[in-house]
C-alpha cells in the first residue's frame, strides 16, 4: 500500500483545526495549514486572507481555503494583528498543497500575548490528533 | 454500517487512492490530484470505477411495455443495441432518478440507476411492472462498471478488443471482449468527453482494470476518482441527482422535458402531472451561471437579482478547472433565466456577480 504519511515538523506548534504556528520573532508568528489538512482538502483553488492591520481574536475566522469540492474556514489560533499576508497565494493557491509549511504559508500575526503560543499543541500531540481522525 | 467495497478496492489502495463513502460504497475520491485527473479526462483519458451504480435487468415479452409504463421515455422504441437517457418520476412528476436504459435484446433491457437510488428504483420497477409479463431482477451484484473517458479512449481500447470501435455509436452497447474478458461495451459517459463504459463480471474487473491501465500508459491515461467526475459533469452541464434533480422538480424544470415522451402509446406513471406542466410551463428553471471570480457559488447558496431580491438557489458549483472561472447551475425564477441576465450569488455573506449563460459550459471540439 502506498499510503502517504503527513509531514509534521517537530519545531512547529499546531491547533486542533489543523493549522501550524511558527515563531518568527519575540511577538510574531507565521501561520498556515498542515500537510494533513491540505491532503484532506485536495487541490486548493482559492485562498481568502485577511487584510493587513486587521486584528483578530482567538477562534475568529481569518479567511477561507477552497478546494474544487469544499470550503474550509481558517481560524485564528491566537489573538493579534495581521502584519503580513502571503500575496503569492492569490495567483498560486496550489502552493498550499505543494509546500504547506514553506511557500504555502498564509499570514503573520503580532501577538498581544506572546506566551499563548506555548499553550498550542506540540508536534507529538498533533500527530496523535491527526492519526485519530 | 460498513461501506461496501468494489472488486477493485485493492487496485485503488495500491494506487494510493483517497476514499470517500458514497451511497453505502467506499469509492475512490481521487488518487493524486483531482485537477490533474480532470485535465487528463479532457486531454487524454481517465479510468473510473463506477461499480456503485445500480444495474436492473428486465426480461420478458412485455419488458419494453413495462418500462414504457414505469419511465417517462419510450423504451420499447429503442433499437436493440441502443441506449437512451431517461427518468423515473413520481405520480406528481417529481424526479425519482435519472437513468440510462440499454436495450440488450428484443425482450431484454438493462436499466442503470444512480447508486443512491438503486434500491428505490428497483422497488418502483418491480411494483410498476407487476401487471406486465416481465421479470425485474436487481443485478447490481453481478456487474462491476468501469469507464474510460477522454479523447484517447478509442485508441486505448482499440488494441484490447476485437470490436471495430468506429462502429460503436454514441449511446450504443455491444457484447464483446476486452482483454479476453466478456464485456458489455457501451459508448456512454458522464464527463462531456467521448468514452466507453464497460460492464464486467466482478471477478473479471481487476484484470480488465489492469489491462486498461497498461494500455493507457502510452496515452497518459490516469485513474480518476469521483472528485473529478463531479467537476467534469458540471462543466458539461449534466445534472446530478440530489443536486439538479429531485422530487421537488419535474424534468421540465431541469430543462430536460425532451426526455418525457407524452405522445408514446399508453399511460405512464406521472403522465397527467407532466402533461399539465408541459402545458402551463414552469415558473422556475435550471440555468447556468458564470462568475468572473474564483469564489465558487455552491450547492444551497441563494441567487439574487440586481435589486438584491432572492430569485433562486444554486444546485452545484465549482471553479471550473478547464475554463478557469467559477461556474454553477441554479434553479431561478423564469423572469431571471434569460442568458445574459446579471445576477449575484450570496457566497458566504458576500455578493459575487454572476451572469446567466447557456448550458453546457464546456463542449468538446468534435
Amino acid at each position: 500500500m502506498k499510503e502517504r504519511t503527513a509531514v509534521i515538523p517537530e519545531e512547529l506548534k499546531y491547533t486542533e483545526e489543523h493549522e501550524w504556528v511558527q515563531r518568527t520573532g519575540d511577538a510574531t508568528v507565521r501561520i498556515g495549514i498542515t500537510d494533513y489538512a491540505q491532503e484532506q482538502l485536495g487541490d486548493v483553488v482559492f485562498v481568502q486572507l485577511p487584510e493587513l492591520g486587521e486584528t483578530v481574536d482567538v477562534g475568529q475566522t481569518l479567511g477561507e481555503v477552497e478546494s474544487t469540492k469544499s470550503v474550509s474556514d481558517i481560524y485564528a489560533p491566537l489573538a493579534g494583528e495581521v502584519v503580513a499576508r502571503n500575496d503569492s497565494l492569490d495567483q498560486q493557491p496550489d502552493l498550499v498543497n505543494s509546500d504547506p509549511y514553506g511557500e504555502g504559508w498564509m499570514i503573520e500575526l503580532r501577538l498581544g500575548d506572546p506566551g499563548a503560543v506555548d499553550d498550542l499543541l506540540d508536534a507529538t500531540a498533533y500527530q496523535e490528533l491527526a492519526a485519530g481522525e | 454500517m460498513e461501506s461496501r467495497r468494489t472488486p477493485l478496492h485493492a487496485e485503488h489502495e495500491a494506487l494510493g487512492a483517497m476514499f470517500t463513502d458514497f451511497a453505502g460504497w467506499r469509492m475512490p475520491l481521487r488518487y493524486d490530484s483531482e485537477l490533474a485527473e480532470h485535465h487528463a479526462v479532457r486531454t487524454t483519458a481517465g479510468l473510473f470505477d463506477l461499480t456503485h451504480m445500480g444495474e436492473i435487468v428486465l426480461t420478458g415479452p412485455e419488458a419494453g411495455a413495462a418500462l414504457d409504463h414505469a419511465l417517462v421515455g419510450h423504451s420499447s422504441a429503442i433499437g436493440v443495441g441502443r441506449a437512451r437517457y431517461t427518468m423515473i418520476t413520481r405520480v406528481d412528476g417529481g424526479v425519482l432518478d435519472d437513468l440510462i436504459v440499454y436495450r440488450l435484446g428484443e425482450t431484454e433491457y438493462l436499466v442503470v440507476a444512480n447508486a443512491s437510488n438503486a434500491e428505490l428504483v428497483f422497488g418502483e420497477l418491480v411494483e410498476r411492472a407487476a401487471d406486465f409479463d416481465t421479470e425485474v431482477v436487481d443485478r447490481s451484484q453481478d456487474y462491476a462498471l468501469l469507464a474510460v473517458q477522454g479523447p484517447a479512449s478509442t485508441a486505448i481500447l482499440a488494441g484490447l478488443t476485437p470490436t471495430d470501435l468506429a462502429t460503436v455509436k454514441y449511446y450504443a452497447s455491444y457484447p464483446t471482449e476486452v482483454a479476453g474478458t466478456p464485456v458489455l461495451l457501451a459508448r456512454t459517459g458522464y464527463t462531456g468527453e467521448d468514452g466507453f463504459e464497460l460492464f464486467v463480471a466482478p471477478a473479471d474487473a481487476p484484470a480488465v482494470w489492469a489491462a486498461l491501465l497498461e494500455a493507457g500508459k502510452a496515452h497518459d491515461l490516469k485513474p480518476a476518482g469521483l472528485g473529478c467526475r463531479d467537476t467534469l459533469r458540471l462543466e458539461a452541464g449534466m445534472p446530478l441527482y440530489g443536486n439538479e434533480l429531485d422530487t421537488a422538480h419535474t424534468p421540465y424544470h431541469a430543462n430536460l422535458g425532451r426526455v418525457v415522451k407524452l405522445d408514446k402509446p399508453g399511460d405512464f406513471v406521472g403522465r397527467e402531472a407532466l402533461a399539465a406542466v408541459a402545458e402551463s410551463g414552469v415558473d422556475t428553471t435550471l440555468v447556468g451561471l458564470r462568475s468572473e471570480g474564483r469564489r465558487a457559488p455552491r450547492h444551497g447558496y441563494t441567487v439574487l437579482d440586481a435589486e438584491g431580491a432572492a430569485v433562486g438557489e444554486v444546485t452545484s458549483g465549482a471553479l471550473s478547472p478547464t475554463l478557469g472561472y467559477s461556474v454553477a447551475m441554479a434553479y431561478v425564477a423564469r423572469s431571471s433565466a434569460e442568458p445574459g441576465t446579471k445576477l449575484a450569488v450570496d457566497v458566504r455573506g458576500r455578493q459575487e456577480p454572476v451572469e446567466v449563460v447557456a448550458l453546457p459550459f464546456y463542449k468538446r471540439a468534435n
Side-chain angles (χ1 to χ4, degrees), chain B residues 212-247:
Chain B
L212 288 166
L213 271 187
E214 182 61 31
K217 273 184 187 165
H219 301 275
D220 294 325
L221 167 139
K222 278 186 192 294
L226 295 187
C228 75
R229 188 167 153 87
D230 191 45
T231 45
L232 287 160
R233 69 91 198 166
L234 173 63
E235 288 181 347
M238 294 171 165
L240 171 65
Y241 197 86
N243 289 38
E244 286 71 35
L245 301 176
D246 55 28
T247 52

Side-chain angles (χ1 to χ4, degrees), chain B residues 24 27 65 85 97 121 127 141 154 156 169 183 200 244 257 266 308 332:
Chain B
M27 299 302 294
Y85 176 75
D97 201 9
V121 171
E127 201 179 310
Q141 306 268 20
T154 307
I156 291 164
K169 298 194 188 86
V183 160
V200 304
E244 286 71 35
V332 301

Side-chain angles (χ1 to χ4, degrees), chain A residues 39-61:
Chain A
E39 177 75 13
Q40 293 298 313
L41 279 171
D43 293 307
V44 173
V45 295
F46 180 75
V47 182
Q48 170 99 28
L49 296 176
E51 298 303 321
L52 292 180
E54 276 186 40
T55 58
V56 292
D57 281 331
V58 179
Q60 192 183 325
T61 305

